[in-house]
Amino acid sequence: MTEQYAVIGLGRFGLSIATKLFESGKEVLGVDVNEERVDDAHPYTTHALIADSTDAEALKSIGIRNIDTVIVAIGNDIQASILSVLLLKELGVKKVIAKALNKLHGQVLKKVGADWVVYPERDMGIRVAHQLLSPNVLNFIEISKDYSVEEVKIPEKMTEKTLRELDLRAKFNLTVIAIRHGHEINITPSPDKKIARGDVLVVIGENSDLEQFSNIE
Ligand code: ATP
């Protein structure tokens, strides 16, 4: 059966999540107290309806407990966000993801049962700064505080060399896990494969080593 999602709060953040999930073929229920927001969400959701997520009866009547994952994308009304998470967990929703505006809000959301708390403004700020500091980095995922996976544009002077010649493991303490060439991705790159101009390396390693590598001119 298709995985079912509900997004509560159809602002920019909630609607982006709903749209992406819906476009990926998932069943998405959109919920908001605001009629206009619900109307605007119809094309991007399986169903969109008006309900107040701080009202337990309303949540029950829309069958929220049968939904696998619920995203609480309410930000500014901190009280509503906390109460919604609490009710959803009490009603037995397995996975509740909630947006926090700040650290304290996030801590409270965790306390009332949120399975995953996201900080979109903070995380986006970190991402933008990271990309300003390392312009060759196209994308990154933090695996832990110290380790990440990064997509790095190959520096000019490293093109037309093989992975064996580049020897990033010895020189930078990094492991290449894939090479992206246009839309093609090679996840088992041979050590003798030459890296072409414009290729992107997907590398894993310690942040300090990644920073050194991604700042090569
Ligand atoms: P964004 O930053 O995502 O654009 P926003 O600035 O519009 O959001 P938020 O306060 O984060 O404002 O609210 C997001 C949405 O959550 C709004 O559309 C709002 O109507 C909805 N919302 C607020 N409280 C509730 C509630 N109790 N039940 C359902 N939806 C709610």
Side-chain angles (χ1 to χ4, degrees), residues 196-209:
R197 180 164 287 114
D199 276 3
V200 172
L201 298 185
V202 184
V203 287
I204 182 166
E206 212 166 317
N207 292 339
S208 52
D209 296 324

Side-chain angles (χ1 to χ4, degrees), residues 16 19 53 56 64 66-67 75 77 97 107-109 116-117 145 169 194 202 210:
S16 312
T19 306
S53 57
I64 206 87
N66 303 319
I67 291 177
D77 189 346
I97 301 166
Q107 281 168 346
V108 178
L109 289 172
W116 180 16
V117 176
K145 196 166 69 57
R169 199 169 282 184
K194 274 201 178 147
V202 184
L210 285 166

Side-chain angles (χ1 to χ4, degrees), residues 21 26 49 52 59 61 88 107 122 157 164 167 192 214:
L21 292 169
K26 306 295 180 194
L49 46 86
D52 180 350
L59 288 176
S61 71
L88 291 165
Q107 281 168 346
R122 183 200 69 180
K157 68 178 179 200
R164 197 191 297 281
D167 202 7
D192 298 313
S214 59

Side-chain angles (χ1 to χ4, degrees), residues 8-15 31-34 37 51-55 73-77 80-81 84 99 101 121:
I8 299 176
L10 299 166
R12 289 158 301 176
F13 179 67
L15 195 59
V31 178
D32 204 296
V33 272
N34 182 321
R37 291 265 162 110
D52 180 350
S53 57
T54 62
D55 176 349
I74 304 170
N76 295 325
D77 189 346
S81 128
S84 303
K99 159 183 161 170
L101 287 188
E121 282 90 359

